[in-house]
Amino acid sequence: MNVEEGIELARYTTLGTGGPARAFARPASEREVEELLPWADERSLAVAVVGLGSNLLVADEGVDALVLKLGGELATIEADEDVLRAGGGASNAVALHRARAAGLGGFEFACAIPGTIGGGVWMNGGAYGGDFAGVLERVLVATAGGTGWLTPAALGLTYRHSELRHGEVVLRAELRLRPRPPDEIKAEVRELNARRKAAQPTNRRTFGSVFKNPRHELSAGRMLEACGLKGHRIGGAQISPKHANFIENADGATTAEALALMAEARRRAHEQFGVTLEHEVEFLGPLELPDL
Ligand SMILES: Cc1cc2nc3c(=O)[nH]c(=O)nc-3n(C[C@H](O)[C@H](O)[C@H](O)COP(=O)(O)OP(=O)(O)OC[C@H]3O[C@@H](n4cnc5c(N)ncnc54)[C@H](O)[C@@H]3O)c2cc1C
């Protein structure tokens, strides 16, 4: 299996920031992942996966790990009666397309989530009242110690969270869907996409929601808007003028600039509302927000 050095991760993130991976490989089968994990283990190298990088903030100085990008057999999708079997590297968009073609509903919520199946499991991605926890039947996970199927309960899926840790690779997932006419699916997806376009920046480089919604009457976006942060800019990174819980790469942003905006947003939300916002975006590499 070919392992490359110094691959810049900025091109694998939707924000378009981040430095190089110490080691990078593109496994195309379970066997290749099962070779790579012990390879990293022998070298005491951490392992992380990038999906579509749509929820990732990667350190500018890079990542001291073996970074995997799943492809080939690990990005295939097939429908079998009411089960959709998808590789961890398959995109939600293609999975939804296949589900619709097979007349299977229940995955429509994912039309708004520009990631992969593996990333969706990791984050328990969700939108419009649906989430991965609601459709997952079981998930095939590889670690340096072996490969096995896990139930959703074993994955510990809660709001935008699973118990998965780096070094655990989602190879495949099976989604239990339900029969639904393709035209109905198409109509619902069209409506959800229109709602999304009206409320969020859809043609900008972002990583989706910055913070999880707090236990508060205001969502993170409304709270940051009330703090006067819409359009606030540090270097090339900007809080979206359309939705305050999004950071845009407005002009050659760095990860450090995006992180500085996050720190400022957290500080202001804490000062004004007494709320400690938790980041939804995943950090890769040595990144930390300052204590409040
Ligand atoms: C415009 C926009 C809108 C968004 N809207 C939503 C939304 O409505 N709801 C929502 O939930 N999210 C949303 N997101 C965030 C993001 O799309 C989701 O979190 C998505 O599930 C991330 O998938 P990914 O493949 O891009 O994962 P990445 O961003 O590449 O990775 C995220 C995490 O998952 C891990 N990971 C990825 N693949 C695997 C794998 N195969 N095995 C093990 N670990 C893996 C990574 O190591 C990382 O820790 C949005 C993002 C954008 C840019």
Side-chain angles (χ1 to χ4, degrees), residues 169-188:
V169 181
V170 173
L171 297 174
R172 296 185 183 285
E174 292 183 359
L175 278 53
R176 168 91 44 199
L177 303 177
R178 55 188 156 72
R180 192 176 188 200
D183 283 353
E184 276 186 25
I185 297 172
K186 198 171 175 181
E188 182 172 341

Side-chain angles (χ1 to χ4, degrees), residues 57 247 254-264 283 286-290:
L57 194 57
I247 288 177
T254 62
T255 290
E257 289 163 353
L259 196 70
L261 265 186
M262 289 175 68
E264 177 63 7
F283 291 168
L287 292 176
E288 232 180 318
L289 284 165

